[in-house]
Amino acid sequence: MTNIDSVFALAYDYHLYAVLLPLVGVGAYWLDGIFFGLTAGSVIRNAALILATIFFPLSWLLYQQWDMTGIWLSVWCLLLLRLVILGGFLYRANQTGSYEKLQPEA
């Protein structure tokens, strides 16, 4: 979407990170859909708080270590952490059979 050679070259250097991003994020998006469908807003909020406490320091460290590659890796980490955290909530609900706790009070 550009004819500026330096921008095109920089974008090409990192294009695999962008191309593979949907494959990395599919699980997180799938679990988001499950919890949104369950109207489990408290689980989504708690997952976001846990994610933020892990993600922001990790993202800063990755950027300090690898610059632009670190930024792309931090986006991948964001999605993978979201998958792990929401997966943990779903696994716990499945093990305890407490899906009704995921539903809002009627």
Side-chain angles (χ1 to χ4, degrees):
M1 297 176 75
T2 183
N3 60 358
I4 303 169
D5 290 333
S6 60
V7 173
F8 182 77
L10 183 63
Y12 186 77
D13 289 343
Y14 298 101
H15 79 282
L16 283 178
Y17 291 108
V19 168
L20 295 175
L21 192 64
L23 297 175
V24 173
V26 68
Y29 298 134
W30 175 66
L31 286 172
D32 273 342
I34 288 174
F35 285 105
F36 282 127
L38 288 169
T39 62
S42 62
V43 173
I44 295 168
R45 179 202 59 221
N46 294 342
L49 291 173
I50 294 168
L51 177 64
T53 59
I54 298 169
F55 171 73
F56 288 117
L58 178 63
S59 180
W60 183 81
L61 289 172
L62 288 170
Y63 174 70
Q64 294 299 315
Q65 185 69 32
W66 292 297
D67 294 325
M68 189 66 169
T69 300
I71 291 173
W72 277 104
L73 291 175
S74 71
V75 172
W76 282 22
C77 286
L78 173 78
L79 295 171
L80 292 172
L81 284 169
R82 187 128 179 112
L83 170 66
V84 169
I85 292 167
L86 287 174
F89 279 111
L90 187 62
Y91 178 78
R92 187 182 66 191
N94 186 39
Q95 289 299 104
T96 61
S98 61
Y99 291 106
E100 60 277 351
K101 289 183 181 176
L102 298 175
Q103 297 289 327
E105 297 297 322

